[in-house]
Each structure stands twice: as C-alpha cells, then as structure tokens.
Amino acid sequence: MRPVDRAMGLIRAGIAAADPAAAVRRGMAEVLADPPGPGGRWQVIALGKAARAMAEAALAILPGAGALVVTNAGNDAPLDGARVLRAGHPQPDAEGAAAAAEVEDLLRATTPHDRVLALISGGGSAMLPAPSPGMTLADKQEVNRLLLGSGADIAQVNLIRQNLSRLKGGGWLRLSPGPIVALILSDVPGDDLRVIASGPTVAPVGGRAEAMALARQLGIWDRMPETARAALLRPDGNPALPPARNILVGSNTISVTAMVEGGATAAPIPLEGDVQECAAEIWRLAPSLAPGQALALGGETTVRLTGDGMGGRNQELALRLALLAEARPVDFDWAFASVGSDGRDGPGEAAGGLVGPGTPAAIRAGGIDPLAALARNDSTPALQAGGALVMTGPTGTNVADLAVLVRA
C-alpha cells in the first residue's frame, strides 16, 4: 500500500472512532439513572459540530423529549423531534446570538422536576455567543478574531471567552432550575471539560483577573474593544455553581488509540504548540522510523497569523513539514497527513493536508512559492496546487486534529 493511502486509511479509522451516535449510546445508561420527577420531562440541548448526530442518538432513547440543536453549516440538516439552529463557526454570528437567546429561554423555563441532557461537542464556543453585559456581538467577534490570530492554545482562548460570556464557564448551570447531565465529546488535548465548548456545564478555567493578565501576555489587551476590557476589569461575583454530572464519552485519545489498533504506533510527542515547532519535532522522528512504520498523533496546534491568506492549522502544519523534509531529506518514501476530525480546517472547506517528498516541487510547478504562501498564511491554494489538499466534507464529529507520519 502506498504511504499516502495508508496515511488516509489511518486518519479515517481515527475519525470513525469518534462517531458521536456511538458516544452518546455509551453514556446513556448513566444519564437514565436520574430520570425526571413527577410531571417533569427530558429536555435535550445539543451544541457543537457533532450536535445533530448526538441529538439523534439521544432522541432514539428518549422518545417524547424536547430537543434544541445548535450546530454549524453542513451539520444542520432537519431532525425529527428537534429544532435545529445554524450558528457561525469559527467566527460567531447573529444566528449564533439568536440561538444563545433561545438556549437561555429554554433553560430558564425548566422546573426542578425536569432533567436537562446537555450534549456538548467541539466548536460550541463560537456557535453560542452571549456577550457579557455592555458588550455587543461585534465586540465579541473582534475579541474572537484577535484570539484566533494570537497563537493562543484552546485553553487560553476559552479562558478569555468564558469571562466575556453569559453562557460559558458554567452559565447553563446558573440559568436552569432543572438538574443538568452532560455527555461530552472532547476536542481538546487532555480532555479538560472546562475547555470543551468553553465549559457551559462546568466551572470556568479561571477568573476575570486571570483572563485580563492573559490578554496582556498575548499582546491583544490594547486592541480589544473597550467594552471587553471593561467587562474583564469588573470583579468576579458569581456564586457557587449548582452540581452537574459531566460525562466524557469520546475524545481525541480514543481516536488515536483506534489509529494504533489499525497498525500505527503512538508517537512519543503530542500534536500541539506552534505549527513550525511541531513540524520540526515530528520530522526529527522520521530518520528513526522502521520500514512500514506509521506514527499516530492527536491534539491541536496553534498558528500565529501574519497574513490574510486562506488556510488552517492542519494545512499549515503539513506544508511546513513538507518544506522541512525537502531541506533535510530521508532516503525512503513517506507521507504525512494532518486533518481536522470535523472535516473542516480553518475558515475554508478543506479538512487538512496530505504531503510527501514531491509536494514542494509540485506546488512550485503549479506556480506558487510555498515559502511566500506560508508568510501570508495562504496554505490552501499552495496545497491545492500541489495536489495535497484533503477534502472530506463535514464528518459530523469533532475530536480535534489527527495526524500520521508513514514510512514506506
């Protein structure tokens, strides 16, 4: 089997292991252990890129339950028994703000005899913007834009998001008279439940003072809207959160394990940090690969924006690794794939990149200088010119990113 075919086969195995319907079914026994009280009912609220698939599985087990689904374009097909709302990702939009208002109303309308089943998956942070008092949606969008280009990791991004939101960092718990149980599909390294979708059913990562200090550290404080700075300058005053049951039912780790079961070896390093540094760490492992060996990685890298091109962290990681490999070649055939498990990497429609020894030359033959493209964060057209762009369409799930390095 060619290295490129084996690489994509392993990536597909990792994505299949994150099937959201199977994840929900795994957690439902614990959910059903605390049914609604007299006169109460189940209310399902599903949020994130896997929300529709998770809600469909839950409704098959909870007939008659109410259901509200908030998800992104491509995953928003109608679902019997549920109201499906589309929301923007990765940039929050007016549809998401309207969806947030509906979630708030629904939570407030529950009673202590009701039970709320929260189905949480990655992407939910952007999809449910509920700006802090005094902030507008435009203010929230500007903060999000600054964060996405700052090089911050997902935990840092969500620390600031939580402290500028009514719903993040346990906000659902503050609103709902009905007890909440959450089934969570993790898209973050380490599976920190406070970070996934900014933790709507979990205590926040930290307080406003920590968020303000981080914004200064990232160099974005002075560029943030005045209303956002004012919100972070207010003292923390939230009371203790009501209890909730938060159950992890799927994760990046589970997907990497599936890749290992498919014949790969778990890499000794995670897929994290700045894309250039991560690419260098991965390629340092190449000379030690045995014939036929494949290394599986999972996690999420970061990109510091220096241009206004089209691309995402997986595409940029793949392109950077290809250029490093060209500068430090090995004497065997190889392939490297890095793919967003949700099927979308960055603002475009590509899922990631699949590169090999000939990729940089193919890009140049297509009329694009790959180094210049990276300087503009313009990896999509570069990889497309080299026949190295991965297009999967929406997968219906999201457990962060998966990557594999294969030796022939």
Side-chain angles (χ1 to χ4, degrees):
M1 182 184 298
R2 297 185 307 158
V4 290
D5 296 327
R6 188 168 177 220
M8 284 308 301
L10 289 167
I11 293 288
R12 284 191 287 270
I15 292 172
D19 176 71
V24 167
R25 289 191 289 268
R26 285 194 294 268
M28 284 304 292
E30 192 167 348
V31 169
L32 295 171
D34 181 27
R41 66 182 301 215
W42 284 105
Q43 178 61 59
V44 176
I45 307 177
L47 171 66
K49 295 177 182 178
R52 187 196 178 281
M54 294 179 82
E56 184 173 21
L59 289 175
I61 300 170
L62 300 173
L68 178 65
V69 176
V70 182
T71 192
N72 61 319
N75 292 316
D76 58 338
L79 174 62
D80 287 344
R83 177 164 163 74
V84 180
L85 303 179
R86 178 188 299 179
H89 185 278
Q91 186 65 272
D93 64 7
E95 288 181 309
E102 290 206 28
V103 168
E104 288 181 290
D105 290 343
L106 192 156
L107 288 168
R108 290 193 184 99
T110 63
T111 74
H113 293 294
D114 294 326
R115 296 293 181 268
V116 177
L117 173 57
L119 303 173
I120 308 298
S121 58
S125 289
M127 293 177 203
L128 215 60
S132 293
M135 290 181 65
T136 66
L137 176 60
D139 295 334
K140 189 84 169 181
Q141 289 170 329
E142 177 59 14
V143 172
N144 200 62
R145 186 190 67 80
L146 291 169
L147 285 169
L148 293 178
S150 69
D153 64 32
I154 188 63
Q156 293 174 318
V157 168
N158 284 354
L159 167 60
I160 293 175
R161 282 170 164 171
Q162 286 174 342
N163 283 281
L164 295 175
S165 171
R166 304 188 306 272
L167 289 176
K168 297 172 173 55
W172 292 20
L173 302 179
R174 297 185 188 97
L175 289 172
S176 178
I180 294 178
V181 56
L183 298 182
I184 300 174
L185 195 64
S186 171
D187 68 330
V188 301
D191 303 327
D192 187 340
L193 302 186
R194 301 172 302 168
V195 177
I196 303 160
S198 289
T201 63
V202 188
V205 175
R208 291 173 184 156
E210 292 169 272
M212 180 174 60
L214 176 59
R216 293 184 185 279
Q217 177 186 327
L218 295 171
I220 65 172
W221 174 257
D222 291 333
R223 292 179 286 153
M224 288 171 61
E226 183 178 351
T227 56
R229 296 198 302 270
L232 293 182
L233 285 166
R234 289 195 291 266
D236 291 308
N238 292 325
L241 291 172
R245 289 185 294 152
N246 291 289
I247 306 163
L248 182 69
V249 293
S251 70
N252 187 263
T253 302
I254 291 171
S255 288
V256 172
T257 299
M259 295 167 70
V260 171
E261 291 172 351
T265 303
I269 59 173
L271 193 70
E272 67 179 22
D274 177 79
V275 284
Q276 177 65 23
E277 296 171 6
C278 186
E281 289 295 317
I282 294 169
W283 190 245
R284 285 190 192 102
L285 301 173
S288 63
L289 290 178
Q293 188 177 7
L295 292 179
L297 304 97
E300 187 172 291
T301 57
T302 61
V303 174
R304 185 172 292 277
L305 295 181
T306 56
D308 58 358
M310 176 65 74
R313 57 182 179 262
N314 289 285
Q315 296 164 75
E316 187 152 325
L317 176 64
L319 181 53
R320 288 184 181 278
L321 185 136
L323 289 169
L324 286 171
E326 183 182 52
R328 300 197 298 270
V330 291
D331 60 357
F332 51 79
D333 191 17
W334 58 274
F336 175 74
S338 187
V339 175
S341 61
D342 62 341
R344 185 170 179 177
D345 179 43
E349 300 302 319
L354 173 62
V355 299
T359 299
I363 292 171
R364 295 186 189 100
I368 293 179
D369 177 351
L371 284 172
L374 282 174
R376 301 190 303 273
N377 301 114
D378 206 21
S379 53
T380 297
L383 291 174
Q384 188 169 31
L389 203 60
V390 175
M391 304 286 289
T392 65
T395 65
T397 191
N398 185 33
V399 289
D401 302 331
L402 301 171
V404 61
L405 176 63
V406 178
R407 174 177 174 172

